[in-house]
Amino acid sequence: MVSHDVLIIGAGLAGMRAAIEAARQGLNAAIVTKVHPVRSHSVAAQGGINAAIGENDSWDAHAFDTVKGSDYLGDQDAIEIMCKEAPKDILELDSMGAIFSRDEKGRIAQRPFGGAGFPRTCFAADRTGHALLHLLYEQVVKCGIGIYEEWFVLSIVIEDEKVCGIIAMDIRTGILHRLQAKAIILATGGYGRVYRNSTNALINTGDGMNLALDAGAPLMDMEFVQFHPTTLKTTGILVTEGARGEGAYLLNSIGQRFMSKYAPNALELASRDVVSRAEQQEIEEGRGIDGCVLLDLRHLGEEKIKERLPQIRSLAIDFEGIDPVKEPIPIKPGAHYSMGGIKTDLSGATKVKGLFAAGECACVSVHGANRLGGNSLLDTIVFGRRAGISASIYAKENNIKEFPDYQLKETAHSIAVITNRRQGERGSVIRDELANIMIKNVGVFRDKERLFAAKEKIKELKERYNHVYLEDKGDIFNTELLETIELKNLLTIAECIVLGAINRTESRGAHFRLDYPKRDDETWLKHTMFYKKDDEIKIDYKDVAITKHKPMERKY
Ligand SMILES: Cc1cc2nc3c(=O)[nH]c(=O)nc-3n(C[C@H](O)[C@H](O)[C@H](O)COP(=O)(O)OP(=O)(O)OC[C@H]3O[C@@H](n4cnc5c(N)ncnc54)[C@H](O)[C@@H]3O)c2cc1C
């Protein structure tokens, strides 16, 4: 059987950064990914990555902005680490050859971003993720790290409460393989596709969070889902916050710059939850245009738009037929980011021995109830590196464990049950209904009635999932089968989001309850923990780590 010291699942920024670290420690590291590495969702990141490298900036100020942005739910010890280590990590990326945009003095340029008290977002025009993902892929190739490309991980194998490997399908052949490993790092990204309107790639289905739950590692804070304020009307494609960072503003149907009502100081650069709610309120109170508000860039001028926001311009032209040089862009809030995820400690370790997690699938937690723009790319780099180091230390101290046979049989059986079914319902219908109920009932605004209706609907969809059948019975590139497995993962994620949201009778960050519109620190200054027992989700709570910033009212 093939074996590795450290096996990384996911080839986004977090996975590749972790793999590089394991290779640097002289270990046999390999990456398993369901798509080619540079197709990971990290490639779509636009606006930039934060670090306090400016002359008058400090990591302390960055940490405070992040704590405030998180609505005081972020763990302050983790936030301090991220902000303190950020400058060194950015300079390392620069020295690897990252093509960061420059200011007039040739230094790495920084733009203002939402919720930040200082312009501290480093960027490569509006294609930062593209630049960084290709950069790390080059490094992975240079280090000779093996990549199982277009392999879909189906389960993590645990024996005596320790990881011993994974079972994955080679998508090209449909054959199941066992890969042994001393340590495993989950870096599988988010679950944005649980929602109808989403900026996320189709592959973002929360697979890793499900792998962790099944392996016995809890998830944390799943009720907190970030809605990005500016996504294109018909496709949900993202228009970066960098557009507002460069000076674009929001207008309603009567031409009002409405953010002055909701965030008189920060205006369009208030944090994302605040701006998304303001837009949704304008739309629901009849001051929208066809379910949207307008993002106006025209005053920035053609030259600046072409230099700083070239991708935004081409996306608006190609997908909406609108040239932002000449017309404002209709936009609306869309599901964007998973604040919650696999609970890890500061070194990326989960509750299960040998299992680590980093990036969007993990919850350290640095984003709390609301993530600041530019902090997620940073999270992938800082905590990807840290998880790579701690998984390597673990791998050096532990031997390869015997790989039990039964799990391969069980996994093969669970797939055969689906492929052998002769009749039933198509998974795509269930997936559609799930995405619709989630955006309608568990979106920017929530309340008891809508949440309970969503809970009932998910229960019904889970039941219907037991009768799902495939038209494609083949082995080679059976994407229908993969989508069906992803659907199961999406259903569990949706269940966690809804259960967490029902219990949390307060409003904090991205979780806004119309029936409980105030933050309630007395009862709810705590993390929600999600466990899976006998195929049921169980909930528990955990304290927030507070170092020096006592919770205050959050105003922008
Ligand atoms: C459109 C968009 C723009 C963004 N812009 C910014 C920005 O400007 N700044 C910022 O800070 N953040 C931004 N974000 C957020 C940020 O890009 C992501 O949170 C981050 O890139 C996630 O990286 P990751 O390494 O955790 O996962 P990803 O890049 O999502 O990679 C996940 C990997 O896991 C693999 N995988 C998943 N499931 C399986 C499985 N079952 N088997 C095998 N492999 C699997 C995939 O193949 C992939 O390689 C943006 C997000 C989006 C959607």
Side-chain angles (χ1 to χ4, degrees), residues 129-180:
H130 189 275
L132 296 183
L133 196 67
H134 282 256
L135 175 81
L136 289 195
Y137 183 52
E138 286 165 14
Q139 298 292 317
V140 161
V141 173
K142 182 175 156 193
C143 295
I145 296 165
I147 304 179
Y148 296 90
E149 202 173 288
E150 297 186 330
W151 280 42
F152 191 105
V153 178
L154 295 161
S155 59
I156 293 176
V157 183
I158 308 281
E159 192 69 354
D160 298 332
E161 298 178 351
K162 282 186 179 176
V163 300
C164 52
I166 62 162
I167 293 169
M169 179 192 287
D170 180 351
I171 302 173
R172 245 165 309 187
T173 60
I175 293 173
L176 300 190
H177 294 268
R178 295 179 298 178
L179 296 177
Q180 267 183 315

Short mmCIF file of all heavy atoms in Angstrom, two decimals, residues 129-180:
data_model
loop_
_atom_site.label_atom_id
_atom_site.label_comp_id
_atom_site.label_asym_id
_atom_site.label_seq_id
_atom_site.Cartn_x
_atom_site.Cartn_y
_atom_site.Cartn_z
N GLY A 129 -5.78 35.97 -5.65
CA GLY A 129 -5.80 34.52 -5.44
C GLY A 129 -5.10 33.79 -6.58
O GLY A 129 -4.34 32.84 -6.37
N HIS A 130 -5.35 34.26 -7.78
CA HIS A 130 -4.73 33.67 -8.97
C HIS A 130 -3.21 33.76 -8.86
O HIS A 130 -2.49 32.77 -9.05
CB HIS A 130 -5.25 34.42 -10.20
CG HIS A 130 -4.87 33.81 -11.50
ND1 HIS A 130 -3.66 34.09 -12.11
CD2 HIS A 130 -5.51 32.93 -12.29
CE1 HIS A 130 -3.59 33.39 -13.24
NE2 HIS A 130 -4.68 32.68 -13.37
N ALA A 131 -2.74 34.95 -8.51
CA ALA A 131 -1.29 35.16 -8.41
C ALA A 131 -0.69 34.25 -7.34
O ALA A 131 0.34 33.61 -7.55
CB ALA A 131 -1.01 36.63 -8.08
N LEU A 132 -1.34 34.18 -6.17
CA LEU A 132 -0.76 33.41 -5.06
C LEU A 132 -0.88 31.90 -5.27
O LEU A 132 0.03 31.14 -4.94
CB LEU A 132 -1.42 33.80 -3.74
CG LEU A 132 -1.22 35.26 -3.30
CD1 LEU A 132 -1.85 35.50 -1.94
CD2 LEU A 132 0.27 35.64 -3.27
N LEU A 133 -1.99 31.45 -5.84
CA LEU A 133 -2.17 30.01 -6.01
C LEU A 133 -1.15 29.46 -7.02
O LEU A 133 -0.54 28.41 -6.81
CB LEU A 133 -3.60 29.68 -6.46
CG LEU A 133 -3.98 28.22 -6.30
CD1 LEU A 133 -4.04 27.82 -4.83
CD2 LEU A 133 -5.32 27.90 -6.96
N HIS A 134 -0.94 30.21 -8.11
CA HIS A 134 0.06 29.77 -9.09
C HIS A 134 1.46 29.80 -8.49
O HIS A 134 2.28 28.92 -8.75
CB HIS A 134 -0.03 30.63 -10.35
CG HIS A 134 -1.17 30.22 -11.23
ND1 HIS A 134 -1.01 29.50 -12.39
CD2 HIS A 134 -2.51 30.40 -11.08
CE1 HIS A 134 -2.21 29.25 -12.93
NE2 HIS A 134 -3.12 29.79 -12.15
N LEU A 135 1.70 30.81 -7.66
CA LEU A 135 3.00 30.91 -6.99
C LEU A 135 3.27 29.68 -6.12
O LEU A 135 4.33 29.06 -6.21
CB LEU A 135 3.00 32.17 -6.10
CG LEU A 135 4.22 32.38 -5.23
CD1 LEU A 135 5.34 33.00 -6.05
CD2 LEU A 135 3.90 33.30 -4.05
N LEU A 136 2.27 29.30 -5.30
CA LEU A 136 2.48 28.15 -4.42
C LEU A 136 2.55 26.85 -5.20
O LEU A 136 3.28 25.93 -4.82
CB LEU A 136 1.40 28.09 -3.33
CG LEU A 136 1.45 29.17 -2.25
CD1 LEU A 136 0.59 28.78 -1.06
CD2 LEU A 136 2.87 29.45 -1.76
N TYR A 137 1.81 26.76 -6.29
CA TYR A 137 1.88 25.54 -7.12
C TYR A 137 3.30 25.36 -7.66
O TYR A 137 3.85 24.26 -7.64
CB TYR A 137 0.84 25.62 -8.25
CG TYR A 137 0.81 24.37 -9.11
CD1 TYR A 137 0.67 23.11 -8.53
CD2 TYR A 137 0.90 24.45 -10.49
CE1 TYR A 137 0.63 21.96 -9.30
CE2 TYR A 137 0.86 23.30 -11.28
CZ TYR A 137 0.73 22.06 -10.67
OH TYR A 137 0.69 20.92 -11.45
N GLU A 138 3.89 26.47 -8.09
CA GLU A 138 5.30 26.40 -8.56
C GLU A 138 6.20 25.86 -7.46
O GLU A 138 7.08 25.03 -7.70
CB GLU A 138 5.80 27.81 -8.93
CG GLU A 138 5.24 28.36 -10.22
CD GLU A 138 5.48 29.86 -10.35
OE1 GLU A 138 6.30 30.43 -9.56
OE2 GLU A 138 4.85 30.48 -11.20
N GLN A 139 5.97 26.35 -6.23
CA GLN A 139 6.81 25.91 -5.11
C GLN A 139 6.59 24.42 -4.81
O GLN A 139 7.53 23.71 -4.47
CB GLN A 139 6.49 26.73 -3.85
CG GLN A 139 6.76 28.22 -3.99
CD GLN A 139 8.24 28.55 -4.12
OE1 GLN A 139 9.07 28.00 -3.40
NE2 GLN A 139 8.58 29.42 -5.05
N VAL A 140 5.34 23.97 -4.90
CA VAL A 140 5.01 22.57 -4.66
C VAL A 140 5.74 21.69 -5.69
O VAL A 140 6.33 20.66 -5.35
CB VAL A 140 3.47 22.35 -4.72
CG1 VAL A 140 3.11 20.88 -4.92
CG2 VAL A 140 2.83 22.87 -3.43
N VAL A 141 5.71 22.12 -6.94
CA VAL A 141 6.39 21.36 -8.00
C VAL A 141 7.89 21.37 -7.74
O VAL A 141 8.57 20.33 -7.81
CB VAL A 141 6.05 21.97 -9.40
CG1 VAL A 141 6.89 21.30 -10.48
CG2 VAL A 141 4.57 21.81 -9.70
N LYS A 142 8.39 22.55 -7.36
CA LYS A 142 9.83 22.67 -7.08
C LYS A 142 10.26 21.74 -5.95
O LYS A 142 11.34 21.13 -6.00
CB LYS A 142 10.11 24.13 -6.69
CG LYS A 142 11.56 24.45 -6.41
CD LYS A 142 11.69 25.96 -6.17
CE LYS A 142 12.91 26.27 -5.36
NZ LYS A 142 12.88 27.65 -4.86
N CYS A 143 9.41 21.60 -4.92
CA CYS A 143 9.75 20.73 -3.78
C CYS A 143 9.55 19.25 -4.11
O CYS A 143 9.83 18.39 -3.26
CB CYS A 143 8.87 21.05 -2.57
SG CYS A 143 9.10 22.67 -1.88
N GLY A 144 9.01 18.94 -5.27
CA GLY A 144 8.79 17.54 -5.65
C GLY A 144 7.69 16.85 -4.85
O GLY A 144 7.71 15.63 -4.66
N ILE A 145 6.71 17.65 -4.39
CA ILE A 145 5.60 17.07 -3.61
C ILE A 145 4.65 16.34 -4.56
O ILE A 145 4.24 16.87 -5.59
CB ILE A 145 4.85 18.20 -2.86
CG1 ILE A 145 5.81 18.83 -1.83
CG2 ILE A 145 3.58 17.68 -2.20
CD1 ILE A 145 5.35 20.16 -1.29
N GLY A 146 4.31 15.10 -4.19
CA GLY A 146 3.41 14.31 -5.04
C GLY A 146 1.99 14.84 -4.99
O GLY A 146 1.54 15.32 -3.95
N ILE A 147 1.29 14.77 -6.14
CA ILE A 147 -0.10 15.24 -6.15
C ILE A 147 -1.00 14.15 -6.75
O ILE A 147 -0.76 13.69 -7.87
CB ILE A 147 -0.26 16.54 -6.97
CG1 ILE A 147 0.68 17.62 -6.43
CG2 ILE A 147 -1.71 17.02 -6.94
CD1 ILE A 147 0.62 18.93 -7.19
N TYR A 148 -2.01 13.74 -5.99
CA TYR A 148 -3.05 12.85 -6.51
C TYR A 148 -4.14 13.77 -7.05
O TYR A 148 -5.00 14.24 -6.31
CB TYR A 148 -3.59 11.94 -5.41
CG TYR A 148 -2.56 11.00 -4.84
CD1 TYR A 148 -1.77 11.37 -3.76
CD2 TYR A 148 -2.36 9.74 -5.41
CE1 TYR A 148 -0.81 10.51 -3.24
CE2 TYR A 148 -1.40 8.87 -4.89
CZ TYR A 148 -0.63 9.26 -3.81
OH TYR A 148 0.32 8.41 -3.31
N GLU A 149 -4.05 14.02 -8.34
CA GLU A 149 -4.89 15.05 -8.95
C GLU A 149 -6.17 14.44 -9.47
O GLU A 149 -6.13 13.39 -10.12
CB GLU A 149 -4.06 15.57 -10.11
CG GLU A 149 -4.39 16.91 -10.60
CD GLU A 149 -3.33 17.26 -11.63
OE1 GLU A 149 -2.18 17.50 -11.25
OE2 GLU A 149 -3.67 17.25 -12.82
N GLU A 150 -7.30 15.08 -9.20
CA GLU A 150 -8.61 14.55 -9.55
C GLU A 150 -8.86 13.21 -8.85
O GLU A 150 -9.30 12.24 -9.45
CB GLU A 150 -8.80 14.48 -11.07
CG GLU A 150 -8.73 15.87 -11.68
CD GLU A 150 -9.05 15.94 -13.16
OE1 GLU A 150 -8.79 14.97 -13.87
OE2 GLU A 150 -9.54 16.99 -13.60
N TRP A 151 -8.54 13.20 -7.59
CA TRP A 151 -8.90 12.10 -6.68
C TRP A 151 -9.87 12.68 -5.67
O TRP A 151 -9.62 13.75 -5.11
CB TRP A 151 -7.66 11.56 -5.95
CG TRP A 151 -6.82 10.63 -6.76
CD1 TRP A 151 -6.48 10.76 -8.08
CD2 TRP A 151 -6.20 9.42 -6.30
NE1 TRP A 151 -5.68 9.71 -8.47
CE2 TRP A 151 -5.49 8.86 -7.39
CE3 TRP A 151 -6.17 8.76 -5.08
CZ2 TRP A 151 -4.77 7.68 -7.30
CZ3 TRP A 151 -5.45 7.58 -4.98
CH2 TRP A 151 -4.76 7.04 -6.08
N PHE A 152 -10.92 11.96 -5.41
CA PHE A 152 -11.97 12.43 -4.50
C PHE A 152 -11.88 11.65 -3.19
O PHE A 152 -12.03 10.43 -3.19
CB PHE A 152 -13.33 12.21 -5.17
CG PHE A 152 -14.48 12.89 -4.48
CD1 PHE A 152 -15.05 14.03 -5.03
CD2 PHE A 152 -15.02 12.39 -3.30
CE1 PHE A 152 -16.12 14.67 -4.40
CE2 PHE A 152 -16.08 13.02 -2.66
CZ PHE A 152 -16.63 14.15 -3.22
N VAL A 153 -11.63 12.35 -2.09
CA VAL A 153 -11.49 11.65 -0.80
C VAL A 153 -12.87 11.31 -0.24
O VAL A 153 -13.74 12.18 -0.13
CB VAL A 153 -10.68 12.49 0.21
CG1 VAL A 153 -10.57 11.77 1.55
CG2 VAL A 153 -9.30 12.78 -0.35
N LEU A 154 -13.06 10.05 0.11
CA LEU A 154 -14.36 9.58 0.57
C LEU A 154 -14.40 9.36 2.07
O LEU A 154 -15.44 9.52 2.70
CB LEU A 154 -14.71 8.26 -0.14
CG LEU A 154 -14.91 8.40 -1.65
CD1 LEU A 154 -14.78 7.04 -2.32
CD2 LEU A 154 -16.25 9.02 -1.95
N SER A 155 -13.26 8.93 2.65
CA SER A 155 -13.28 8.80 4.11
C SER A 155 -11.88 8.82 4.69
O SER A 155 -10.88 8.56 3.99
CB SER A 155 -14.03 7.54 4.55
OG SER A 155 -13.42 6.42 4.01
N ILE A 156 -11.86 9.17 5.97
CA ILE A 156 -10.60 9.13 6.73
C ILE A 156 -10.68 7.89 7.59
O ILE A 156 -11.71 7.63 8.21
CB ILE A 156 -10.48 10.39 7.61
CG1 ILE A 156 -10.32 11.61 6.71
CG2 ILE A 156 -9.30 10.28 8.56
CD1 ILE A 156 -10.30 12.90 7.45
N VAL A 157 -9.61 7.13 7.60
CA VAL A 157 -9.63 5.87 8.35
C VAL A 157 -8.96 6.09 9.71
O VAL A 157 -7.86 6.63 9.79
CB VAL A 157 -8.90 4.76 7.57
CG1 VAL A 157 -8.99 3.45 8.33
CG2 VAL A 157 -9.52 4.62 6.18
N ILE A 158 -9.70 5.68 10.74
CA ILE A 158 -9.22 5.85 12.12
C ILE A 158 -9.09 4.47 12.74
O ILE A 158 -9.99 3.63 12.60
CB ILE A 158 -10.24 6.65 12.96
CG1 ILE A 158 -10.63 7.96 12.28
CG2 ILE A 158 -9.76 6.86 14.39
CD1 ILE A 158 -9.64 9.06 12.41
N GLU A 159 -8.00 4.23 13.43
CA GLU A 159 -7.84 2.97 14.16
C GLU A 159 -7.23 3.33 15.52
O GLU A 159 -6.29 4.12 15.58
CB GLU A 159 -6.92 2.04 13.34
CG GLU A 159 -6.88 0.62 13.79
CD GLU A 159 -8.19 -0.18 13.57
OE1 GLU A 159 -9.20 0.40 13.16
OE2 GLU A 159 -8.17 -1.37 13.85
N ASP A 160 -7.76 2.77 16.58
CA ASP A 160 -7.30 3.10 17.94
C ASP A 160 -7.25 4.62 18.17
O ASP A 160 -6.26 5.15 18.69
CB ASP A 160 -5.90 2.52 18.21
CG ASP A 160 -5.91 1.01 18.11
OD1 ASP A 160 -6.97 0.43 18.37
OD2 ASP A 160 -4.86 0.44 17.74
N GLU A 161 -8.27 5.30 17.71
CA GLU A 161 -8.40 6.75 17.90
C GLU A 161 -7.30 7.57 17.25
O GLU A 161 -7.05 8.72 17.61
CB GLU A 161 -8.50 7.09 19.39
CG GLU A 161 -9.74 6.47 20.01
CD GLU A 161 -9.86 6.72 21.49
OE1 GLU A 161 -8.91 7.23 22.09
OE2 GLU A 161 -10.92 6.38 22.03
N LYS A 162 -6.59 6.98 16.27
CA LYS A 162 -5.57 7.74 15.53
C LYS A 162 -5.83 7.60 14.03
O LYS A 162 -6.34 6.55 13.60
CB LYS A 162 -4.19 7.16 15.81
CG LYS A 162 -3.60 7.53 17.13
CD LYS A 162 -2.19 6.99 17.18
CE LYS A 162 -1.50 7.36 18.49
NZ LYS A 162 -0.18 6.78 18.60
N VAL A 163 -5.43 8.61 13.26
CA VAL A 163 -5.62 8.47 11.80
C VAL A 163 -4.63 7.43 11.28
O VAL A 163 -3.51 7.29 11.80
CB VAL A 163 -5.39 9.79 11.05
CG1 VAL A 163 -6.35 10.86 11.52
CG2 VAL A 163 -3.96 10.28 11.15
N CYS A 164 -5.05 6.68 10.25
CA CYS A 164 -4.06 5.82 9.60
C CYS A 164 -4.11 5.95 8.09
O CYS A 164 -3.28 5.35 7.40
CB CYS A 164 -4.15 4.38 10.07
SG CYS A 164 -5.74 3.65 9.99
N GLY A 165 -5.00 6.75 7.56
CA GLY A 165 -4.99 6.97 6.11
C GLY A 165 -6.34 7.40 5.58
O GLY A 165 -7.22 7.78 6.36
N ILE A 166 -6.48 7.32 4.27
CA ILE A 166 -7.74 7.75 3.64
C ILE A 166 -8.16 6.73 2.58
O ILE A 166 -7.35 5.92 2.12
CB ILE A 166 -7.59 9.12 2.95
CG1 ILE A 166 -6.55 9.05 1.81
CG2 ILE A 166 -7.25 10.22 3.92
CD1 ILE A 166 -6.66 10.19 0.83
N ILE A 167 -9.42 6.85 2.21
CA ILE A 167 -9.90 6.12 1.03
C ILE A 167 -10.35 7.17 0.03
O ILE A 167 -11.11 8.08 0.39
CB ILE A 167 -11.06 5.18 1.41
CG1 ILE A 167 -10.50 4.09 2.32
CG2 ILE A 167 -11.70 4.57 0.16
CD1 ILE A 167 -11.53 3.26 2.99
N ALA A 168 -9.85 7.06 -1.19
CA ALA A 168 -10.16 8.06 -2.21
C ALA A 168 -10.44 7.39 -3.54
O ALA A 168 -9.93 6.31 -3.82
CB ALA A 168 -8.99 9.04 -2.35
N MET A 169 -11.26 8.07 -4.35
CA MET A 169 -11.57 7.54 -5.67
C MET A 169 -10.76 8.30 -6.73
O MET A 169 -10.77 9.53 -6.74
CB MET A 169 -13.06 7.71 -5.96
CG MET A 169 -13.47 7.19 -7.34
SD MET A 169 -15.13 7.72 -7.76
CE MET A 169 -16.07 6.67 -6.69
N ASP A 170 -10.09 7.56 -7.59
CA ASP A 170 -9.46 8.19 -8.75
C ASP A 170 -10.60 8.47 -9.74
O ASP A 170 -11.20 7.54 -10.29
CB ASP A 170 -8.42 7.21 -9.34
CG ASP A 170 -7.73 7.80 -10.56
OD1 ASP A 170 -8.17 8.88 -11.03
OD2 ASP A 170 -6.76 7.19 -11.03
N ILE A 171 -10.89 9.74 -9.94
CA ILE A 171 -12.09 10.10 -10.71
C ILE A 171 -12.00 9.58 -12.16
O ILE A 171 -12.99 9.23 -12.78
CB ILE A 171 -12.31 11.64 -10.68
CG1 ILE A 171 -12.45 12.11 -9.22
CG2 ILE A 171 -13.53 12.04 -11.48
CD1 ILE A 171 -12.51 13.62 -9.04
N ARG A 172 -10.77 9.51 -12.66
CA ARG A 172 -10.58 9.06 -14.05
C ARG A 172 -11.00 7.60 -14.28
O ARG A 172 -11.42 7.23 -15.35
CB ARG A 172 -9.11 9.21 -14.43
CG ARG A 172 -8.87 10.23 -15.51
CD ARG A 172 -7.41 10.59 -15.57
NE ARG A 172 -6.91 10.96 -14.23
CZ ARG A 172 -5.70 11.44 -14.01
NH1 ARG A 172 -4.86 11.58 -14.99
NH2 ARG A 172 -5.32 11.77 -12.78
N THR A 173 -10.85 6.76 -13.25
CA THR A 173 -11.13 5.34 -13.42
C THR A 173 -12.28 4.86 -12.56
O THR A 173 -12.85 3.79 -12.81
CB THR A 173 -9.90 4.51 -13.01
OG1 THR A 173 -9.61 4.80 -11.63
CG2 THR A 173 -8.69 4.84 -13.86
N GLY A 174 -12.60 5.62 -11.52
CA GLY A 174 -13.65 5.18 -10.58
C GLY A 174 -13.14 4.16 -9.57
O GLY A 174 -13.90 3.67 -8.74
N ILE A 175 -11.82 3.87 -9.63
CA ILE A 175 -11.27 2.86 -8.70
C ILE A 175 -11.01 3.50 -7.33
O ILE A 175 -10.51 4.63 -7.24
CB ILE A 175 -9.96 2.27 -9.27
CG1 ILE A 175 -10.29 1.45 -10.54
CG2 ILE A 175 -9.24 1.39 -8.24
CD1 ILE A 175 -9.08 0.95 -11.28
N LEU A 176 -11.35 2.74 -6.27
CA LEU A 176 -11.08 3.23 -4.91
C LEU A 176 -9.67 2.81 -4.49
O LEU A 176 -9.25 1.70 -4.76
CB LEU A 176 -12.07 2.63 -3.91
CG LEU A 176 -13.56 2.92 -4.12
CD1 LEU A 176 -14.36 2.47 -2.89
CD2 LEU A 176 -13.81 4.40 -4.36
N HIS A 177 -8.96 3.73 -3.84
CA HIS A 177 -7.60 3.45 -3.39
C HIS A 177 -7.48 3.72 -1.90
O HIS A 177 -8.17 4.58 -1.36
CB HIS A 177 -6.60 4.37 -4.11
CG HIS A 177 -6.52 4.11 -5.57
ND1 HIS A 177 -5.62 3.25 -6.13
CD2 HIS A 177 -7.24 4.62 -6.60
CE1 HIS A 177 -5.78 3.23 -7.44
NE2 HIS A 177 -6.76 4.05 -7.76
N ARG A 178 -6.53 3.01 -1.28
CA ARG A 178 -6.19 3.30 0.12
C ARG A 178 -4.83 3.97 0.14
O ARG A 178 -3.91 3.53 -0.53
CB ARG A 178 -6.12 2.00 0.92
CG ARG A 178 -7.45 1.30 1.01
CD ARG A 178 -7.35 0.02 1.78
NE ARG A 178 -6.47 -0.94 1.14
CZ ARG A 178 -6.19 -2.13 1.65
NH1 ARG A 178 -6.69 -2.49 2.81
NH2 ARG A 178 -5.40 -2.97 1.02
N LEU A 179 -4.74 5.06 0.87
CA LEU A 179 -3.44 5.73 1.04
C LEU A 179 -3.17 5.80 2.53
O LEU A 179 -3.99 6.32 3.29
CB LEU A 179 -3.48 7.16 0.47
CG LEU A 179 -3.71 7.31 -1.04
CD1 LEU A 179 -3.80 8.79 -1.39
CD2 LEU A 179 -2.60 6.66 -1.84
N GLN A 180 -2.01 5.26 2.94
CA GLN A 180 -1.66 5.31 4.36
C GLN A 180 -0.97 6.64 4.67
O GLN A 180 -0.25 7.18 3.82
CB GLN A 180 -0.69 4.19 4.67
CG GLN A 180 -1.37 2.93 5.16
CD GLN A 180 -0.35 1.88 5.52
OE1 GLN A 180 0.60 1.66 4.77
NE2 GLN A 180 -0.54 1.23 6.65
#
